Structures are given as C-alpha cells and as structure tokens.
Amino acid sequence: MGNTNFILRSCIFLLVISLHGQAKKPTLMVVPSDAWCNKNGYMIEFDNQGITTKVPDYTKAVQENTDLLLVISKLNGLMAEREFPLKNLETVLKGLTNDRGLNAVRTSRDTGASISESPVDQIIKTARADIILQLTWTVNTMGPKKSITYNLQGLDSYTYKQIATAVGTGAPSFSVELPVLLEEAVAENMEDFTYTLQEHFDDMFEKGREVTLQILTWDDWDGDLDELTFEIEDWLDANTIEGRFSTADVTDSYALFDQVRMPLFNERGRAMAARNFFRGLSKTLNAPPHNIPNKLTTEGLGKVTLILGGK
C-alpha cells in the first residue's frame, strides 16, 4: 500500500512538472529605454497631429551602436535560456523599413490625410510582443575595474504599465566586455524578474488582457450616446473575460471604458489585438437595429476608439 501511494504521488508530481513545462510563456522584445536613447543622441521628433513629439530612433541606434547590439543579444540569450519566446528589435526594424515605403503613399479616401502613427507604436504593433523589456545601463570605471549599473523594466505592451523591474549594480570586475558585465550584474535578480513576468502573463491568460475602449461621436450624429452606453456595457459584459471592465466616464458625446479584459487568443488560437476584439462591437453597432455607421481606430495595441456617426 505504501509503495502504491509513493508511485501515485510520484506520477502526480511528474504530471504537474510536465504541465508547468508546457505552460505558455509571454513573447518578449528588448529595447533601449528612452533615457538611454536621449543620453546617447538617438531621438527623433515628429508631428503627431499638430503636436511635436520626441521618440527614440531605434533604427539609428542599432545601426550605429555596437554596444547596444551586444547588450540586447546577451539579454535575449538570458531570456532564451529560460525558454521565453523573443522578438529581435533589429529584425523587426528591418521589416518596418519595407512597411514605411507603403505607409508613405497611403492616404484616407475621404480626406486625403496621411498615416499618423508613433514610430514606437509601429514597432510594438509589428512585433506583437506581449511584454517589452526596456533597458537602461551605464558603465562605471574604478581604476582597472569596471561595473555596470542597470535598470530593466518589464512593460505590458498593451497598456505600457510596468509589471516587473530589476535594478542593481554589478560587482567590480576586471572584465572589459560589456555583455559579461551585464550578465554578472543581472544574475542575482533574473530569477525573480522572470518569475514576475510569467506571473503577470498567467494572470492575463486567466483573467484576460487589459485594454481600453473610447467612444466618440461626430458633430452631426444625432443619436443618444448616454442611452446607447447601456447596450455597449451589455456587449462588454457578454464578451469580456468574466464580464470584467469598468465604465470610467460617460457624457452625451463621449464614453470611456478601461480595465476591459479581453481574451489573449481568438478561437483559432491566434494572438488577438484590441482592434480585432472590438471589431465585433463595431459590427454590432453598424447592424440593425442600431444602424450606426462608425469608424474604428487604434492607438498602439491596447487602445481602440470608436467614432459614431460615419466612417
């Protein structure tokens, strides 16, 4: 009887380990932080609907700074050892080079307006990484020895919320190789850091990914958004994970729903962006009995705006 119980417990233990090993992991992409890019002269300015915005110039950074490539490569390797799927920044940027040529000639069929999208949003949308690892580092020199001070932040790519962080300074070393200094510095915190990343992803897997829905109206729309909001809430209640969402604000011409928990994957098992999820609501409002034409726009991966009353 004792042997039987031992064998049974052993089987259960092995099953748990097997299932844990098969757990889906979040896709990651390592990028240099805004602070690092600004300090090293890798920033660009662009016109974002009349507002001058400053963002990192990742393309220039990876083309000119070999230290950056070495650091990203080392961090990618450390995450790959822990079996996290990775998107490589340099590869994503090369793909975007081709897309920019297409976007440059795209215009609205109604107004002739051109594409207006942040370069950072373009990168994140193309990579479709679940979590962005944003890295800042400086090299400290103490006589013949060097050390590295780093700040590694895990950001949810849909909300830009910080979900994990690792900060520290490595022990002084005679090594002059930056990747070695980085590995020595982050080694102490890496297990806790990756555990927190996985914990966040497991929470999303169970409770849904957090996204935001904004409802606007054209000036000439004569509908009642205040009343329509109740039906939108019914749709959200029926389509979100466990009916999880919050109605943050409602007026006659504006509504905001945040902490909306949508599924990570569609019925085919493919990763789903907020745009895909809210397309169902767009179709519902456009169909009888509502018959409300609407325009669906996105900001990054996690924020969708529905403008009611026209395309």
Side-chain angles (χ1 to χ4, degrees), residues 29 31 92 96 119-129 132 156-158 160 300-301:
M29 184 170 71
V31 303
V92 170
L96 274 174
V120 177
D121 285 339
Q122 285 185 336
I123 290 168
I124 293 175
K125 184 183 292 185
T126 302
R128 288 292 182 93
I132 302 299
D156 187 310
S157 63
Y158 279 63
Y160 299 106
L301 290 176

Side-chain angles (χ1 to χ4, degrees), residues 14-133:
L14 291 174
L15 178 61
V16 170
I17 294 297
S18 175
L19 291 174
H20 179 76
Q22 295 171 14
K24 191 171 182 66
K25 290 182 177 290
T27 302
L28 312 176
M29 184 170 71
V30 180
V31 303
S33 71
D34 290 13
W36 184 91
C37 289
N38 189 54
K39 179 181 178 181
N40 291 276
Y42 300 120
M43 300 292 283
I44 56 175
E45 293 184 352
F46 74 104
D47 188 323
N48 184 13
Q49 300 180 358
I51 300 174
T52 301
T53 304
K54 199 173 182 180
V55 296
D57 188 347
Y58 293 133
T59 299
K60 185 178 180 182
V62 299
Q63 288 177 347
E64 296 182 0
N65 196 297
T66 55
D67 281 348
L68 174 62
L69 293 179
L70 290 171
V71 165
I72 289 178
S73 179
K74 170 53 68 176
L75 200 50
N76 280 349
L78 292 174
M79 301 309 294
E81 288 174 3
R82 291 157 177 82
E83 300 182 350
F84 283 91
L86 293 154
K87 296 292 182 72
N88 185 270
L89 176 62
E90 187 177 17
T91 303
V92 170
L93 289 170
K94 288 178 180 177
L96 274 174
T97 300
N98 298 328
D99 293 340
R100 284 196 188 103
L102 295 175
N103 286 339
V105 298
R106 285 177 177 149
T107 58
S108 165
R109 68 174 184 269
D110 297 326
T111 66
S114 59
I115 297 292
S116 178
E117 186 175 38
S118 159
V120 177
D121 285 339
Q122 285 185 336
I123 290 168
I124 293 175
K125 184 183 292 185
T126 302
R128 288 292 182 93
D130 297 299
I131 297 171
I132 302 299
L133 300 186

Side-chain angles (χ1 to χ4, degrees), residues 218-235:
W218 296 114
D219 290 340
D220 57 357
W221 185 61
D222 58 359
D224 184 353
L225 179 57
D226 195 19
E227 185 65 27
L228 182 64
T229 299
F230 293 108
E231 298 195 45
I232 294 174
E233 288 177 332
D234 288 342
W235 187 92

Side-chain angles (χ1 to χ4, degrees), residues 215-269:
I215 307 288
L216 303 176
T217 64
W218 296 114
D219 290 340
D220 57 357
W221 185 61
D222 58 359
D224 184 353
L225 179 57
D226 195 19
E227 185 65 27
L228 182 64
T229 299
F230 293 108
E231 298 195 45
I232 294 174
E233 288 177 332
D234 288 342
W235 187 92
L236 290 170
D237 185 65
N239 289 275
T240 55
I241 299 296
E242 298 180 353
R244 294 173 181 266
F245 70 93
S246 295
T247 304
D249 195 11
V250 177
T251 69
D252 292 340
S253 58
Y254 173 80
L256 180 67
F257 304 92
D258 60 11
Q259 302 179 64
V260 178
R261 292 290 193 133
M262 67 170 224
L264 266 69
F265 307 98
N266 62 19
E267 61 278 3
R268 297 180 181 178

